[in-house]
Amino acid sequence: MSQLCPCQSQKLYSQCCEPIHHDVKKAAQPEQLMRARYCAHVLGLVDFVVETYHPSCEAASQRQEITDSLDSDWVNLIVHDCQKGAHQDEGYVTFSAYFMQDGQQHALTECSRFVREYDQWYYIDGTFPEPKDKRLTQSISSLKVGRNDPCICGSGKKFKKCCG
């Protein structure tokens, strides 16, 4: 039986990130690679994560740190924005990846930069934007947000249907 993809696309894994995990060149857009990288974190696919860093990042030399980052309890992904870069071979994806630690949910929000070389997208670097809502720096359990309030992640959904 097929399962939904961990990247939260609401597609089956076999029709979403799995084909990209087998052939990274199937990621036609930066968002597809970012989702496949998140999914690889969930599934523990260290080789895929290492291989999708841009060669200038020398990710192989940081393999242990990357392996350690995959060893988190990843629970949700929200893509906030996708933008084109300065040229057709550059793109940006802003997302929040949620994980559990010590019984509390935390979010890592990043604006990732991707570049395409030889028909393949690579993650090259990212920035951590200042949260629009300062409550985003707190754990989910300590937030003072009503269930019907708009979600603080900026998704436009109600808090209870999103991060709550």
Side-chain angles (χ1 to χ4, degrees), residues 90-163:
E90 180 181 58
Y92 296 87
V93 180
T94 303
F95 66 92
S96 293
Y98 295 84
F99 61 97
M100 296 297 294
Q101 184 175 0
D102 299 325
Q104 293 189 343
Q105 184 170 288
H106 301 274
L108 167 73
T109 300
E110 179 175 316
C111 178
S112 296
R113 182 169 63 119
F114 295 86
V115 294
R116 182 172 47 193
E117 291 181 359
Y118 307 107
D119 296 324
Q120 179 177 331
W121 285 102
Y122 293 94
Y123 169 83
I124 191 160
D125 57 22
T127 59
F128 301 100
E130 284 293 317
K132 294 176 189 176
D133 189 322
K134 292 297 180 192
R135 294 175 294 179
L136 283 173
T137 60
Q138 302 173 22
S139 67
I140 295 294
S141 62
S142 68
L143 290 175
K144 304 285 190 247
V145 180
R147 292 175 39 83
N148 290 316
D149 290 346
C151 192
I152 60 172
C153 76
S155 68
K157 298 177 186 177
K158 289 183 179 183
F159 182 72
K160 69 181 177 186
K161 294 285 186 180
C162 193
C163 297

Side-chain angles (χ1 to χ4, degrees), residues 25-37:
K25 289 188 177 187
K26 290 188 177 182
Q29 302 295 326
E31 180 182 354
Q32 290 174 306
L33 180 59
M34 186 279 308
R35 286 182 177 278
R37 284 173 55 87

Side-chain angles (χ1 to χ4, degrees), residues 37-84:
R37 284 173 55 87
Y38 170 83
C39 185
H41 276 74
V42 173
L43 299 175
L45 304 176
V46 177
D47 291 338
F48 181 84
V49 174
V50 170
E51 291 166 8
T52 55
Y53 272 95
H54 188 269
S56 67
C57 298
E58 300 180 1
S61 67
Q62 300 171 22
R63 185 178 189 81
Q64 186 57 52
E65 292 86 352
I66 293 168
T67 301
D68 292 345
S69 77
L70 270 66
D71 195 27
S72 296
D73 184 12
W74 299 100
V75 296
N76 195 16
L77 174 70
I78 297 174
V79 176
H80 302 291
D81 191 31
C82 299
Q83 295 181 347
K84 296 179 189 235

